Amino acid sequence: MAEHTYAGVKCGIMDQFASTFGKKDQVLKLDCRSLEYEYVPLILDGYTIILLNTNVKHALGDTAYNKRVEQCKQAIDWVKEKYPEVVNMRDVSVSMLDEMVKDKDAEVYTKTRFVVEESERVHEACEHLKAGNLKALGQNLLASHHGLSQEYEVSCAESDYLVDFIKQFPEVLGARQMGGGFGGCTINLVKNDFVVALIEKISPEYFAKFGKELTVIQVKTDDGTSVL
């Protein structure tokens, strides 16, 4: 993989998979081990997805991204001492971490507990979508960002500011940092008729705080790559 060999980032296959198998008005629930996947309808019902680009450039090869990978490997090694059937983090439970990791290394424990809990949030998010419960989905996004920022520690001041800022508006159901972290965009679930007002409120405040322009990107789902 080019990212592993040339960029030095030990990433997975999510971006490439989504680019190939994406489908309009659907989200992909992907099992990165078996490559099994499920389409879940994305019915936003009066809401839209807005990306707020911090314009903080993130070079993941120079960040703690790879360190997080190593911490997960360390936790797996410790858990396997008693539970040899464990292959990777998706096989690990919080109770296993409590038993085999917590007393060995507090930082590894916190980081890997986030991974386990975030995996559960993925399942929960898909169930919220199936049920049409966008409010619960928004809370799921906010919980995810809290973990990314305070537990996994892959956020940045700019992303945290943007997510905290939107919490004051009931027209924004939720937000979280997206991508590998340390900059880039936040993803926001915004009521259609509030998009312009949100941009007018948040853009000058962001510039005053960080001296950076805020780039707003309205997105929609579409089919993945195909032969024309």
Side-chain angles (χ1 to χ4, degrees), residues 197-217:
L198 175 64
I199 295 168
E200 290 176 347
K201 292 174 186 293
I202 200 170
S203 294
E205 296 285 346
Y206 182 77
F207 185 81
K209 178 75 173 177
F210 296 105
K212 298 183 179 73
E213 296 290 344
L214 185 67
T215 305
V216 180
I217 308 167

Side-chain angles (χ1 to χ4, degrees), residues 39-56:
Y39 289 109
V40 178
L42 182 66
I43 302 172
L44 294 179
D45 193 25
Y47 286 81
T48 190
I49 296 173
I50 300 293
L51 306 187
L52 298 177
N53 187 350
T54 63
N55 285 307
V56 175

Side-chain angles (χ1 to χ4, degrees), residues 26-27 40-44 122-134 136-137 189:
Q26 306 281 327
V27 298
V40 178
L42 182 66
I43 302 172
L44 294 179
V122 172
H123 295 293
E124 292 169 2
C126 289
E127 293 306 310
H128 295 327
L129 282 172
K130 291 175 183 178
N133 193 343
L134 295 181
L137 177 65
L189 191 54

Side-chain angles (χ1 to χ4, degrees), residues 17-51:
F17 200 96
S19 295
T20 303
F21 293 99
K23 186 178 291 188
K24 182 177 174 60
D25 297 328
Q26 306 281 327
V27 298
L28 268 172
K29 182 182 180 185
L30 170 64
D31 184 328
C32 291
R33 183 162 66 188
S34 69
L35 299 187
E36 294 178 349
Y37 61 95
E38 173 189 358
Y39 289 109
V40 178
L42 182 66
I43 302 172
L44 294 179
D45 193 25
Y47 286 81
T48 190
I49 296 173
I50 300 293
L51 306 187

Side-chain angles (χ1 to χ4, degrees), residues 141-206:
L141 291 172
L142 290 170
S144 177
H145 184 81
H146 176 82
L148 286 165
S149 174
Q150 302 302 311
E151 298 166 5
Y152 209 53
E153 296 184 285
V154 294
S155 186
C156 63
E158 290 85 351
S159 295
D160 289 345
Y161 177 83
L162 293 176
V163 173
D164 286 340
F165 191 92
I166 62 91
K167 293 177 182 177
Q168 64 186 294
F169 304 114
E171 299 88 349
V172 187
L173 296 183
R176 76 184 287 274
Q177 178 183 261
M178 61 183 300
F182 310 102
C185 297
T186 63
I187 183 169
N188 303 260
L189 191 54
V190 186
K191 197 169 185 179
N192 287 341
D193 59 9
F194 188 67
V195 171
V196 173
L198 175 64
I199 295 168
E200 290 176 347
K201 292 174 186 293
I202 200 170
S203 294
E205 296 285 346
Y206 182 77

Side-chain angles (χ1 to χ4, degrees), residues 39-97:
Y39 289 109
V40 178
L42 182 66
I43 302 172
L44 294 179
D45 193 25
Y47 286 81
T48 190
I49 296 173
I50 300 293
L51 306 187
L52 298 177
N53 187 350
T54 63
N55 285 307
V56 175
K57 182 176 176 57
H58 54 181
L60 299 183
D62 299 328
T63 66
Y65 186 97
N66 288 343
K67 182 180 179 181
R68 299 294 178 269
V69 176
E70 294 304 317
Q71 288 170 323
C72 287
K73 289 180 179 178
Q74 177 62 79
I76 291 166
D77 287 343
W78 283 333
V79 171
K80 283 172 71 72
E81 291 175 4
K82 183 172 181 180
Y83 302 96
E85 70 276 12
V86 165
V87 176
N88 51 33
M89 284 303 303
R90 60 93 52 77
D91 302 316
V92 176
S93 66
V94 172
S95 62
M96 289 178 181
L97 295 174

